Amino acid sequence: MRLYDDVKKEYDSLNKAEFEPIDKDKKIYDKKFDTKPIGYFKDAMIRFSKNRTNVVATIILLILVMLAIFVPILTTKNYTQQQTQLAHLPPRVPILSRFGIMDGSANVVAQTINPDNYNEEFDVFYPDNYFPEFIIWETVENYFDNCSRIAEICVGGEVVLRTQRSTDTQMSITARSTFMVSTTDGISVNVDVSDIIGSNTKLDVILVSGNEDYVIGTIDRPGMHSFNPFDNPDLPDTAWSTYRIKLVMHAEATANRVVLNSVSVTDASLDEPVVLNEGFSLANFQVSSSGLINRQNAQIMRANFKYMAYESALREARDTLSNDDYYELMEQYADECKWDPETGLGGDPDPNATSRHARIFPPECPIIRTTGRSSMLPDPRNPGEFVYDYFVVIDYQRALGFETTPYFFFGTTNAGHDLFALTWVALRTSLLIGLVVAVINITVGIIYGSISGYYGGKVDLLMERFSEIISRIPWLVLLSIFYALIGPGALTLILILIVSGWIGVASVTRTQFYRYKGREYVLASRTLGAKDSRLIFRHILPNGIGTIITASVLMIPGVIFTEAALSYLGFGIGHGQSFRLFGLIELSGVSIGVLLADGRNEMIDKPYLTLFPAIIISILMITFNMFGNALRDAFNPSLRGSE
Amino acid sequence: MLRYTAVRTVWIIVILVTILSMNFVILQSAPEYPPPTPDDRDMYYDRQVADGYFTVRVERDPEIVRALSENDESVYVRNPRNFYQRNPRQGPVEFYRIYEPVPIATQYVRWVRNIVVDWNWGLSTRVAPNTPVFEVLMSRIPITMQLNLLALFFYIPIGFALGIVAALRKDGLIDNFVTLFVMIFISIPSFVVMLFLVLIFGYQLEWLPTQFPTADAVGMIRFTGLVLPVLGLAFQPIASLTRVTRAELTEVLTSEFLLLARTKGLTRPQSIVRHAMRNSMVPLVPGIIFSFVGLLSGSVIIETIYGIPGTGRVFIRAMALNNYDYNLILGTTAFYTIIGLFAVLLVDLSYGIVDPRIRMGAKK
């Protein structure tokens, strides 16, 4: 420790002339800080931007919001009108399509083939409703699937007979066609039974001739059974008479069954059977009202393949246009399609001229040629007007206004809407509903929480009990009440979301009030005569607002989630609805939940209808949560790292 | 403690009665949807009379009978809340039975009496006409409970394990992975996760069924059919349990009593298992109890996606637009409300059991 005495020696030894006093005659005032003060929000901002992951999440969130705002405005593709020609197109993305990913080829799966549609080169069958020129033949796979329908397309299998009601003791099946034999020698009726279930279950084989039944044999065990019909002396044994096969099953219970493989009639002198009933033709026998007939183990051929959906949708094809559509198109392409007297190409200059309506159009026109026109019928809705159809060959690509094959990034929906644009429209709806509900909840919550927290005591106790009851109402109860009273729609949705949504904000606000209301500055203001409202809104609330707002931001993803879930279940908004919020913002009835519900039944061959909206809402929720957490951490450093 | 328990129990019952009463009164004031077929309808209204919600009188006045059968509104205007039963149903009309609802306050009193005395929740009208609601629910509850309990027993160990590993290896590679996983799965709605699962494992890879197998399915498919819904239900709870476990354990690991335990000679694993884990459990138990309620209400939508014939599905069916089955809605919501409030009670009481330091309602 240095004492003054020690220093004094040192000080005295210094040369005084080397020192001179500065600012001796100046007055010194407080200086202004050169650096700017770091305020509450700036401090939060700095902390917020330090965490790089959160900044990235925030940027992605902003991009999503921007896309939701601008894509619906800027897109050239249709997302409002129904265009059946463009329905069910798979995603097609530039660049990626060159590598065979999302190149616009549709995966067609499990389509039942038509046996008449056969491609010899690749030895495959293909279904109806697909144009052979757009099928990618290398990818066609035929396979067999189980089938229990009584339809001709299902082949093979067995036929199960059983009685219908427990009171029935027998049932019968009768062939729909008759047969005729030219001789009475060497004829046998063969019944191939694969199984008989239940004791005392028997099958009578009967030939019907005219209105008479002639029993020719009885079967009580499985196996191949052959009967000579002319062993029955009663059967009229004249050649050239017609017979019909009838089988009668005697069963004691509905669980008793007879399983048949085939029923045939053979002639020893012929190689082929006279009659062969198996599979469909056997299942197609006429059944008596007391019985049921089922097929089992039958097979149906299906095909999986890739299909050039864009080329197919935008092909040149024959079509029938109503006069309205025709003239709308002619007006739209007035220059390209107009009649040119020199070349003789183009539309009819006089629509009422019934002659010369088969014409060829210039190459720029979407209509290639018209082949005729239907007769004119009076329009039932507009008296004096006529309705008629033009038969045309049309280039859909040009008729739909595309110069080249279009790119639908996310594919198109059942109604031919561009899913990419629609997803952003849906996101916009979801975000707006989230925002509106959040604003309402925050307002209500702040007011409620302020009153409860500021006054405390009995008021607080009562208000707390009330909000506890409200918060304990399960969402199913809310849903049932509002749905039964109002029906589906945006109002129901918003009401469900705000009934208990404000409670979180209220409790945060209440805590903040408890924290600040006892501070000296509040006491000072009160002493100066400030009213309650002034204390609440000018002094206490601004101090707690950061915490309250961050708690509220975290509410928005919750609201979006609930909205999506309810709309998915069909209790929220839906297609065709459009509604105004407070008369200001017009929303379409499409939200992410609605899009997901649309794709629900088509997950097997059109997974993109579910996949893209699901990915977008997932990214939105993840980034929104990260943004909210980052905001909370930034405003409340003591919470750092508790997540 | 006894006083606290009693107060909480009474309070929970008050909330329960409030919610159910409100639901009953509001649903009763909405337009009625009786069973669709005439036979069922007659039976249903007779039962309503027996239960005390309706009164019945016979109208033989030929003028009114004629007006009713010809729908002549100048003589007699039908009240939409009444039910007019034509007798006999075919042939010339002889008389009408008119079923009239009693005032809603009386209905409410009788409803409470029916439930308390006879445990009679009324008849289903549309989903299973004239079947007691309680029976309908009892046939559905096992499958829902099975599913949710499976999800519960599936997610708790995984959530704990992930949370513990992340906390012990804080800021390591595993921790970062776990944090990322938590962030993703806590954000994505469970039904979107379910859609992804069905899309990937059901339709694309074809490993698991895309729909819940029917009741008569046999063999492996009964087991494989449970995998996707359990996963779909469990992802979000796993993420939140992991997050809370990690946070709690991290906090306890840095606390001084743990340092003391180490200085006294315990190894790190010993100190973690004996001291850190037990202390971090305290806030987790209520979370787990609440999560079961969350699972249960979340399973409504999972059941709809996967076609599981549980209580959630029956609720959605009872809510079909303009085909409402109010009694069934009341019964189902009562089921969910009771379970939810029971969980609240359990949580309130469990604080004292898990952590003896907390003595709820004790005098200071």
Side-chain angles (χ1 to χ4, degrees), chain A residues 468 476 483 561 625 642-643, chain B residues 11 187 189 243 246-247 319 336:
Chain A
E468 191 184 345
L476 292 171
Y483 196 65
F561 157 65
N625 272 328
S642 71
E643 285 306 325
Chain B
W11 175 234
S187 305
R243 170 190 266 195
R246 177 179 174 276
M319 290 276 291
Y336 284 102

Side-chain angles (χ1 to χ4, degrees), chain A residues 56-96:
Chain A
V56 172
T58 311
I59 290 171
I60 296 175
L61 179 64
L62 273 178
I63 293 174
L64 286 183
V65 174
M66 288 294 162
L67 284 170
I69 296 172
F70 290 112
V71 170
I73 300 173
L74 297 178
T75 185
T76 53
K77 305 221 170 69
N78 156 58
Y79 61 87
T80 47
Q81 278 162 358
Q82 187 162 345
Q83 285 188 339
T84 42
Q85 195 62 37
L86 288 177
H88 300 306
L89 291 182
R92 183 161 183 266
V93 181
I95 301 166
L96 280 183

Side-chain angles (χ1 to χ4, degrees), chain B residues 143-144 146-148 150-151 194 208-209 211-213 220-233 302 306 308:
Chain B
I143 184 90
T144 300
Q146 178 198 17
L147 199 68
N148 283 285
L150 269 177
M194 187 68 195
L208 295 164
Q211 282 285 306
F212 193 70
M220 269 306 275
I221 197 162
R222 287 190 73 82
F223 171 74
T224 53
L226 284 169
V227 175
L228 284 188
V230 166
L231 278 181
L233 279 173
I302 301 279
Y306 209 56
I308 301 166

